[in-house]
Amino acid sequence: MSECVFCQIVAGTVPSQKVLDTERVLVFHDIRPQAPVHVLVIPKQHIASAHALQAEHATVLMDMHLAAQQAAEQLGIAQDGYRLVTNVGWHGQQTVPHLHYHLLGGRQLQWPPG
Ligand code: 5GP
Ligand code: ZN
């Protein structure tokens, strides 16, 4: 079995609170929310990070953005706006090595990030 926790969430062996489940993408609530709305948008296919993306991933990447848009509408944050971010590697503070966007909203977010 995969040691990747997000692959385990895709497989259903680790439970998650799903928001959206499409052919190639899963959206679920982050276990430690940092905003009133904080969900994760992941490809079902294991891709290590945004830095591992290749041209052949174009379809799944677009599907991730379409799922993020749909989740933002569904969760009521589309009108006021939101943040869609992906952390990469050590300095980026990526803790799960499976590509994911954080979709954050429901409050005024700060910029720049720490
Ligand atoms: P990163 O730190 O890699 O940018 O983001 C990983 C995110 O995954 C964190 O916000 C963390 O709270 C979340 N996370 C880690 N393990 C789990 C889990 O088992 N279930 C859920 N729903 N979120 C998780
Ligand atoms: Zn994975």
Side-chain angles (χ1 to χ4, degrees), residues 62-83:
M62 190 63 219
D63 282 358
M64 288 174 72
H65 279 269
L66 292 174
Q69 290 175 11
Q70 198 180 323
E73 293 285 351
Q74 214 168 297
L75 296 166
I77 59 171
Q79 195 172 346
D80 286 342
Y82 54 86
R83 187 164 294 157

mmCIF file with all atom_site columns, all heavy atoms in Angstrom, residues 62-83:
data_model
loop_
_atom_site.group_PDB
_atom_site.id
_atom_site.type_symbol
_atom_site.label_atom_id
_atom_site.label_alt_id
_atom_site.label_comp_id
_atom_site.label_asym_id
_atom_site.label_entity_id
_atom_site.label_seq_id
_atom_site.pdbx_PDB_ins_code
_atom_site.Cartn_x
_atom_site.Cartn_y
_atom_site.Cartn_z
_atom_site.occupancy
_atom_site.B_iso_or_equiv
_atom_site.pdbx_formal_charge
_atom_site.auth_seq_id
_atom_site.auth_comp_id
_atom_site.auth_asym_id
_atom_site.auth_atom_id
_atom_site.pdbx_PDB_model_num
ATOM 1   N N   . MET A 1 62 ? -5.563  21.321 -15.241 1.00 0.00 ? 62 MET A N   1
ATOM 2   C CA  . MET A 1 62 ? -6.756  22.125 -15.553 1.00 0.00 ? 62 MET A CA  1
ATOM 3   C C   . MET A 1 62 ? -7.942  21.629 -14.747 1.00 0.00 ? 62 MET A C   1
ATOM 4   O O   . MET A 1 62 ? -8.725  22.436 -14.220 1.00 0.00 ? 62 MET A O   1
ATOM 5   C CB  . MET A 1 62 ? -7.061  22.037 -17.062 1.00 0.00 ? 62 MET A CB  1
ATOM 6   C CG  . MET A 1 62 ? -8.127  23.013 -17.524 1.00 0.00 ? 62 MET A CG  1
ATOM 7   S SD  . MET A 1 62 ? -7.606  24.724 -17.295 1.00 0.00 ? 62 MET A SD  1
ATOM 8   C CE  . MET A 1 62 ? -9.126  25.486 -16.759 1.00 0.00 ? 62 MET A CE  1
ATOM 9   N N   . ASP A 1 63 ? -8.069  20.323 -14.614 1.00 0.00 ? 63 ASP A N   1
ATOM 10  C CA  . ASP A 1 63 ? -9.169  19.757 -13.812 1.00 0.00 ? 63 ASP A CA  1
ATOM 11  C C   . ASP A 1 63 ? -9.075  20.219 -12.358 1.00 0.00 ? 63 ASP A C   1
ATOM 12  O O   . ASP A 1 63 ? -10.094 20.448 -11.704 1.00 0.00 ? 63 ASP A O   1
ATOM 13  C CB  . ASP A 1 63 ? -9.136  18.230 -13.864 1.00 0.00 ? 63 ASP A CB  1
ATOM 14  C CG  . ASP A 1 63 ? -9.698  17.677 -15.166 1.00 0.00 ? 63 ASP A CG  1
ATOM 15  O OD1 . ASP A 1 63 ? -10.139 18.476 -16.017 1.00 0.00 ? 63 ASP A OD1 1
ATOM 16  O OD2 . ASP A 1 63 ? -9.692  16.443 -15.331 1.00 0.00 ? 63 ASP A OD2 1
ATOM 17  N N   . MET A 1 64 ? -7.859  20.348 -11.849 1.00 0.00 ? 64 MET A N   1
ATOM 18  C CA  . MET A 1 64 ? -7.693  20.836 -10.468 1.00 0.00 ? 64 MET A CA  1
ATOM 19  C C   . MET A 1 64 ? -8.222  22.262 -10.347 1.00 0.00 ? 64 MET A C   1
ATOM 20  O O   . MET A 1 64 ? -8.879  22.620 -9.370  1.00 0.00 ? 64 MET A O   1
ATOM 21  C CB  . MET A 1 64 ? -6.217  20.781 -10.049 1.00 0.00 ? 64 MET A CB  1
ATOM 22  C CG  . MET A 1 64 ? -5.709  19.364 -9.811  1.00 0.00 ? 64 MET A CG  1
ATOM 23  S SD  . MET A 1 64 ? -3.941  19.335 -9.489  1.00 0.00 ? 64 MET A SD  1
ATOM 24  C CE  . MET A 1 64 ? -3.884  20.032 -7.829  1.00 0.00 ? 64 MET A CE  1
ATOM 25  N N   . HIS A 1 65 ? -7.926  23.090 -11.350 1.00 0.00 ? 65 HIS A N   1
ATOM 26  C CA  . HIS A 1 65 ? -8.401  24.482 -11.302 1.00 0.00 ? 65 HIS A CA  1
ATOM 27  C C   . HIS A 1 65 ? -9.926  24.554 -11.434 1.00 0.00 ? 65 HIS A C   1
ATOM 28  O O   . HIS A 1 65 ? -10.568 25.352 -10.745 1.00 0.00 ? 65 HIS A O   1
ATOM 29  C CB  . HIS A 1 65 ? -7.703  25.312 -12.375 1.00 0.00 ? 65 HIS A CB  1
ATOM 30  C CG  . HIS A 1 65 ? -6.341  25.758 -11.947 1.00 0.00 ? 65 HIS A CG  1
ATOM 31  N ND1 . HIS A 1 65 ? -6.123  26.950 -11.298 1.00 0.00 ? 65 HIS A ND1 1
ATOM 32  C CD2 . HIS A 1 65 ? -5.140  25.145 -12.026 1.00 0.00 ? 65 HIS A CD2 1
ATOM 33  C CE1 . HIS A 1 65 ? -4.832  27.060 -11.012 1.00 0.00 ? 65 HIS A CE1 1
ATOM 34  N NE2 . HIS A 1 65 ? -4.214  25.986 -11.444 1.00 0.00 ? 65 HIS A NE2 1
ATOM 35  N N   . LEU A 1 66 ? -10.483 23.725 -12.313 1.00 0.00 ? 66 LEU A N   1
ATOM 36  C CA  . LEU A 1 66 ? -11.953 23.716 -12.456 1.00 0.00 ? 66 LEU A CA  1
ATOM 37  C C   . LEU A 1 66 ? -12.612 23.232 -11.169 1.00 0.00 ? 66 LEU A C   1
ATOM 38  O O   . LEU A 1 66 ? -13.632 23.778 -10.740 1.00 0.00 ? 66 LEU A O   1
ATOM 39  C CB  . LEU A 1 66 ? -12.354 22.825 -13.645 1.00 0.00 ? 66 LEU A CB  1
ATOM 40  C CG  . LEU A 1 66 ? -11.945 23.360 -15.018 1.00 0.00 ? 66 LEU A CG  1
ATOM 41  C CD1 . LEU A 1 66 ? -12.251 22.331 -16.115 1.00 0.00 ? 66 LEU A CD1 1
ATOM 42  C CD2 . LEU A 1 66 ? -12.637 24.681 -15.336 1.00 0.00 ? 66 LEU A CD2 1
ATOM 43  N N   . ALA A 1 67 ? -12.002 22.234 -10.517 1.00 0.00 ? 67 ALA A N   1
ATOM 44  C CA  . ALA A 1 67 ? -12.549 21.724 -9.244  1.00 0.00 ? 67 ALA A CA  1
ATOM 45  C C   . ALA A 1 67 ? -12.435 22.793 -8.164  1.00 0.00 ? 67 ALA A C   1
ATOM 46  O O   . ALA A 1 67 ? -13.343 22.953 -7.335  1.00 0.00 ? 67 ALA A O   1
ATOM 47  C CB  . ALA A 1 67 ? -11.803 20.452 -8.834  1.00 0.00 ? 67 ALA A CB  1
ATOM 48  N N   . ALA A 1 68 ? -11.328 23.545 -8.165  1.00 0.00 ? 68 ALA A N   1
ATOM 49  C CA  . ALA A 1 68 ? -11.155 24.620 -7.178  1.00 0.00 ? 68 ALA A CA  1
ATOM 50  C C   . ALA A 1 68 ? -12.233 25.684 -7.370  1.00 0.00 ? 68 ALA A C   1
ATOM 51  O O   . ALA A 1 68 ? -12.826 26.173 -6.402  1.00 0.00 ? 68 ALA A O   1
ATOM 52  C CB  . ALA A 1 68 ? -9.759  25.229 -7.308  1.00 0.00 ? 68 ALA A CB  1
ATOM 53  N N   . GLN A 1 69 ? -12.498 26.041 -8.623  1.00 0.00 ? 69 GLN A N   1
ATOM 54  C CA  . GLN A 1 69 ? -13.556 27.026 -8.906  1.00 0.00 ? 69 GLN A CA  1
ATOM 55  C C   . GLN A 1 69 ? -14.904 26.526 -8.394  1.00 0.00 ? 69 GLN A C   1
ATOM 56  O O   . GLN A 1 69 ? -15.646 27.256 -7.731  1.00 0.00 ? 69 GLN A O   1
ATOM 57  C CB  . GLN A 1 69 ? -13.667 27.273 -10.411 1.00 0.00 ? 69 GLN A CB  1
ATOM 58  C CG  . GLN A 1 69 ? -12.501 28.026 -11.011 1.00 0.00 ? 69 GLN A CG  1
ATOM 59  C CD  . GLN A 1 69 ? -12.626 28.119 -12.539 1.00 0.00 ? 69 GLN A CD  1
ATOM 60  O OE1 . GLN A 1 69 ? -13.664 27.811 -13.110 1.00 0.00 ? 69 GLN A OE1 1
ATOM 61  N NE2 . GLN A 1 69 ? -11.566 28.540 -13.187 1.00 0.00 ? 69 GLN A NE2 1
ATOM 62  N N   . GLN A 1 70 ? -15.204 25.269 -8.703  1.00 0.00 ? 70 GLN A N   1
ATOM 63  C CA  . GLN A 1 70 ? -16.495 24.692 -8.308  1.00 0.00 ? 70 GLN A CA  1
ATOM 64  C C   . GLN A 1 70 ? -16.605 24.615 -6.784  1.00 0.00 ? 70 GLN A C   1
ATOM 65  O O   . GLN A 1 70 ? -17.645 24.934 -6.207  1.00 0.00 ? 70 GLN A O   1
ATOM 66  C CB  . GLN A 1 70 ? -16.638 23.303 -8.928  1.00 0.00 ? 70 GLN A CB  1
ATOM 67  C CG  . GLN A 1 70 ? -18.073 22.810 -8.939  1.00 0.00 ? 70 GLN A CG  1
ATOM 68  C CD  . GLN A 1 70 ? -18.193 21.423 -9.554  1.00 0.00 ? 70 GLN A CD  1
ATOM 69  O OE1 . GLN A 1 70 ? -17.495 21.096 -10.517 1.00 0.00 ? 70 GLN A OE1 1
ATOM 70  N NE2 . GLN A 1 70 ? -19.056 20.588 -9.001  1.00 0.00 ? 70 GLN A NE2 1
ATOM 71  N N   . ALA A 1 71 ? -15.519 24.217 -6.115  1.00 0.00 ? 71 ALA A N   1
ATOM 72  C CA  . ALA A 1 71 ? -15.530 24.125 -4.650  1.00 0.00 ? 71 ALA A CA  1
ATOM 73  C C   . ALA A 1 71 ? -15.713 25.509 -4.035  1.00 0.00 ? 71 ALA A C   1
ATOM 74  O O   . ALA A 1 71 ? -16.455 25.677 -3.062  1.00 0.00 ? 71 ALA A O   1
ATOM 75  C CB  . ALA A 1 71 ? -14.239 23.479 -4.160  1.00 0.00 ? 71 ALA A CB  1
ATOM 76  N N   . ALA A 1 72 ? -15.060 26.516 -4.604  1.00 0.00 ? 72 ALA A N   1
ATOM 77  C CA  . ALA A 1 72 ? -15.186 27.882 -4.091  1.00 0.00 ? 72 ALA A CA  1
ATOM 78  C C   . ALA A 1 72 ? -16.631 28.363 -4.209  1.00 0.00 ? 72 ALA A C   1
ATOM 79  O O   . ALA A 1 72 ? -17.159 29.009 -3.293  1.00 0.00 ? 72 ALA A O   1
ATOM 80  C CB  . ALA A 1 72 ? -14.239 28.813 -4.846  1.00 0.00 ? 72 ALA A CB  1
ATOM 81  N N   . GLU A 1 73 ? -17.286 28.036 -5.312  1.00 0.00 ? 73 GLU A N   1
ATOM 82  C CA  . GLU A 1 73 ? -18.710 28.388 -5.483  1.00 0.00 ? 73 GLU A CA  1
ATOM 83  C C   . GLU A 1 73 ? -19.542 27.656 -4.438  1.00 0.00 ? 73 GLU A C   1
ATOM 84  O O   . GLU A 1 73 ? -20.363 28.250 -3.738  1.00 0.00 ? 73 GLU A O   1
ATOM 85  C CB  . GLU A 1 73 ? -19.194 28.000 -6.893  1.00 0.00 ? 73 GLU A CB  1
ATOM 86  C CG  . GLU A 1 73 ? -18.579 28.799 -8.032  1.00 0.00 ? 73 GLU A CG  1
ATOM 87  C CD  . GLU A 1 73 ? -19.146 30.217 -8.151  1.00 0.00 ? 73 GLU A CD  1
ATOM 88  O OE1 . GLU A 1 73 ? -20.133 30.537 -7.470  1.00 0.00 ? 73 GLU A OE1 1
ATOM 89  O OE2 . GLU A 1 73 ? -18.562 31.006 -8.924  1.00 0.00 ? 73 GLU A OE2 1
ATOM 90  N N   . GLN A 1 74 ? -19.309 26.358 -4.357  1.00 0.00 ? 74 GLN A N   1
ATOM 91  C CA  . GLN A 1 74 ? -20.084 25.486 -3.464  1.00 0.00 ? 74 GLN A CA  1
ATOM 92  C C   . GLN A 1 74 ? -19.950 25.910 -2.001  1.00 0.00 ? 74 GLN A C   1
ATOM 93  O O   . GLN A 1 74 ? -20.896 25.835 -1.236  1.00 0.00 ? 74 GLN A O   1
ATOM 94  C CB  . GLN A 1 74 ? -19.541 24.066 -3.632  1.00 0.00 ? 74 GLN A CB  1
ATOM 95  C CG  . GLN A 1 74 ? -20.537 22.961 -3.507  1.00 0.00 ? 74 GLN A CG  1
ATOM 96  C CD  . GLN A 1 74 ? -19.913 21.658 -3.994  1.00 0.00 ? 74 GLN A CD  1
ATOM 97  O OE1 . GLN A 1 74 ? -19.542 21.527 -5.169  1.00 0.00 ? 74 GLN A OE1 1
ATOM 98  N NE2 . GLN A 1 74 ? -19.759 20.695 -3.105  1.00 0.00 ? 74 GLN A NE2 1
ATOM 99  N N   . LEU A 1 75 ? -18.749 26.365 -1.618  1.00 0.00 ? 75 LEU A N   1
ATOM 100 C CA  . LEU A 1 75 ? -18.474 26.713 -0.217  1.00 0.00 ? 75 LEU A CA  1
ATOM 101 C C   . LEU A 1 75 ? -18.752 28.185 0.077   1.00 0.00 ? 75 LEU A C   1
ATOM 102 O O   . LEU A 1 75 ? -18.504 28.663 1.183   1.00 0.00 ? 75 LEU A O   1
ATOM 103 C CB  . LEU A 1 75 ? -17.018 26.345 0.126   1.00 0.00 ? 75 LEU A CB  1
ATOM 104 C CG  . LEU A 1 75 ? -16.729 24.834 0.048   1.00 0.00 ? 75 LEU A CG  1
ATOM 105 C CD1 . LEU A 1 75 ? -15.221 24.560 0.066   1.00 0.00 ? 75 LEU A CD1 1
ATOM 106 C CD2 . LEU A 1 75 ? -17.412 24.090 1.190   1.00 0.00 ? 75 LEU A CD2 1
ATOM 107 N N   . GLY A 1 76 ? -19.216 28.918 -0.942  1.00 0.00 ? 76 GLY A N   1
ATOM 108 C CA  . GLY A 1 76 ? -19.694 30.288 -0.735  1.00 0.00 ? 76 GLY A CA  1
ATOM 109 C C   . GLY A 1 76 ? -18.606 31.341 -0.596  1.00 0.00 ? 76 GLY A C   1
ATOM 110 O O   . GLY A 1 76 ? -18.840 32.393 -0.010  1.00 0.00 ? 76 GLY A O   1
ATOM 111 N N   . ILE A 1 77 ? -17.428 31.094 -1.150  1.00 0.00 ? 77 ILE A N   1
ATOM 112 C CA  . ILE A 1 77 ? -16.332 32.063 -1.023  1.00 0.00 ? 77 ILE A CA  1
ATOM 113 C C   . ILE A 1 77 ? -15.935 32.684 -2.359  1.00 0.00 ? 77 ILE A C   1
ATOM 114 O O   . ILE A 1 77 ? -15.025 33.511 -2.411  1.00 0.00 ? 77 ILE A O   1
ATOM 115 C CB  . ILE A 1 77 ? -15.077 31.442 -0.354  1.00 0.00 ? 77 ILE A CB  1
ATOM 116 C CG1 . ILE A 1 77 ? -14.558 30.243 -1.152  1.00 0.00 ? 77 ILE A CG1 1
ATOM 117 C CG2 . ILE A 1 77 ? -15.392 31.037 1.084   1.00 0.00 ? 77 ILE A CG2 1
ATOM 118 C CD1 . ILE A 1 77 ? -13.197 29.727 -0.674  1.00 0.00 ? 77 ILE A CD1 1
ATOM 119 N N   . ALA A 1 78 ? -16.622 32.303 -3.418  1.00 0.00 ? 78 ALA A N   1
ATOM 120 C CA  . ALA A 1 78 ? -16.216 32.770 -4.754  1.00 0.00 ? 78 ALA A CA  1
ATOM 121 C C   . ALA A 1 78 ? -16.383 34.275 -4.907  1.00 0.00 ? 78 ALA A C   1
ATOM 122 O O   . ALA A 1 78 ? -15.529 34.955 -5.493  1.00 0.00 ? 78 ALA A O   1
ATOM 123 C CB  . ALA A 1 78 ? -16.992 32.024 -5.832  1.00 0.00 ? 78 ALA A CB  1
ATOM 124 N N   . GLN A 1 79 ? -17.466 34.805 -4.366  1.00 0.00 ? 79 GLN A N   1
ATOM 125 C CA  . GLN A 1 79 ? -17.758 36.220 -4.579  1.00 0.00 ? 79 GLN A CA  1
ATOM 126 C C   . GLN A 1 79 ? -16.758 37.123 -3.852  1.00 0.00 ? 79 GLN A C   1
ATOM 127 O O   . GLN A 1 79 ? -16.256 38.096 -4.430  1.00 0.00 ? 79 GLN A O   1
ATOM 128 C CB  . GLN A 1 79 ? -19.183 36.547 -4.129  1.00 0.00 ? 79 GLN A CB  1
ATOM 129 C CG  . GLN A 1 79 ? -19.656 37.884 -4.660  1.00 0.00 ? 79 GLN A CG  1
ATOM 130 C CD  . GLN A 1 79 ? -21.136 38.127 -4.374  1.00 0.00 ? 79 GLN A CD  1
ATOM 131 O OE1 . GLN A 1 79 ? -21.872 37.215 -4.004  1.00 0.00 ? 79 GLN A OE1 1
ATOM 132 N NE2 . GLN A 1 79 ? -21.571 39.354 -4.560  1.00 0.00 ? 79 GLN A NE2 1
ATOM 133 N N   . ASP A 1 80 ? -16.461 36.831 -2.604  1.00 0.00 ? 80 ASP A N   1
ATOM 134 C CA  . ASP A 1 80 ? -15.532 37.675 -1.834  1.00 0.00 ? 80 ASP A CA  1
ATOM 135 C C   . ASP A 1 80 ? -14.067 37.401 -2.171  1.00 0.00 ? 80 ASP A C   1
ATOM 136 O O   . ASP A 1 80 ? -13.200 38.211 -1.866  1.00 0.00 ? 80 ASP A O   1
ATOM 137 C CB  . ASP A 1 80 ? -15.747 37.459 -0.329  1.00 0.00 ? 80 ASP A CB  1
ATOM 138 C CG  . ASP A 1 80 ? -17.031 38.121 0.160   1.00 0.00 ? 80 ASP A CG  1
ATOM 139 O OD1 . ASP A 1 80 ? -17.550 39.004 -0.550  1.00 0.00 ? 80 ASP A OD1 1
ATOM 140 O OD2 . ASP A 1 80 ? -17.515 37.742 1.236   1.00 0.00 ? 80 ASP A OD2 1
ATOM 141 N N   . GLY A 1 81 ? -13.800 36.261 -2.751  1.00 0.00 ? 81 GLY A N   1
ATOM 142 C CA  . GLY A 1 81 ? -12.432 35.933 -3.130  1.00 0.00 ? 81 GLY A CA  1
ATOM 143 C C   . GLY A 1 81 ? -11.793 34.961 -2.168  1.00 0.00 ? 81 GLY A C   1
ATOM 144 O O   . GLY A 1 81 ? -12.298 34.690 -1.077  1.00 0.00 ? 81 GLY A O   1
ATOM 145 N N   . TYR A 1 82 ? -10.677 34.444 -2.600  1.00 0.00 ? 82 TYR A N   1
ATOM 146 C CA  . TYR A 1 82 ? -10.020 33.374 -1.845  1.00 0.00 ? 82 TYR A CA  1
ATOM 147 C C   . TYR A 1 82 ? -8.576  33.268 -2.282  1.00 0.00 ? 82 TYR A C   1
ATOM 148 O O   . TYR A 1 82 ? -8.126  33.986 -3.188  1.00 0.00 ? 82 TYR A O   1
ATOM 149 C CB  . TYR A 1 82 ? -10.756 32.039 -2.069  1.00 0.00 ? 82 TYR A CB  1
ATOM 150 C CG  . TYR A 1 82 ? -10.932 31.658 -3.529  1.00 0.00 ? 82 TYR A CG  1
ATOM 151 C CD1 . TYR A 1 82 ? -9.942  30.969 -4.225  1.00 0.00 ? 82 TYR A CD1 1
ATOM 152 C CD2 . TYR A 1 82 ? -12.096 32.007 -4.233  1.00 0.00 ? 82 TYR A CD2 1
ATOM 153 C CE1 . TYR A 1 82 ? -10.105 30.609 -5.559  1.00 0.00 ? 82 TYR A CE1 1
ATOM 154 C CE2 . TYR A 1 82 ? -12.267 31.652 -5.567  1.00 0.00 ? 82 TYR A CE2 1
ATOM 155 C CZ  . TYR A 1 82 ? -11.270 30.953 -6.218  1.00 0.00 ? 82 TYR A CZ  1
ATOM 156 O OH  . TYR A 1 82 ? -11.418 30.612 -7.533  1.00 0.00 ? 82 TYR A OH  1
ATOM 157 N N   . ARG A 1 83 ? -7.843  32.377 -1.648  1.00 0.00 ? 83 ARG A N   1
ATOM 158 C CA  . ARG A 1 83 ? -6.449  32.134 -2.040  1.00 0.00 ? 83 ARG A CA  1
ATOM 159 C C   . ARG A 1 83 ? -6.292  30.674 -2.442  1.00 0.00 ? 83 ARG A C   1
ATOM 160 O O   . ARG A 1 83 ? -6.834  29.781 -1.785  1.00 0.00 ? 83 ARG A O   1
ATOM 161 C CB  . ARG A 1 83 ? -5.504  32.468 -0.885  1.00 0.00 ? 83 ARG A CB  1
ATOM 162 C CG  . ARG A 1 83 ? -4.034  32.398 -1.292  1.00 0.00 ? 83 ARG A CG  1
ATOM 163 C CD  . ARG A 1 83 ? -3.164  33.088 -0.276  1.00 0.00 ? 83 ARG A CD  1
ATOM 164 N NE  . ARG A 1 83 ? -3.427  34.515 -0.250  1.00 0.00 ? 83 ARG A NE  1
ATOM 165 C CZ  . ARG A 1 83 ? -3.170  35.309 0.802   1.00 0.00 ? 83 ARG A CZ  1
ATOM 166 N NH1 . ARG A 1 83 ? -2.640  34.800 1.896   1.00 0.00 ? 83 ARG A NH1 1
ATOM 167 N NH2 . ARG A 1 83 ? -3.431  36.599 0.746   1.00 0.00 ? 83 ARG A NH2 1
#
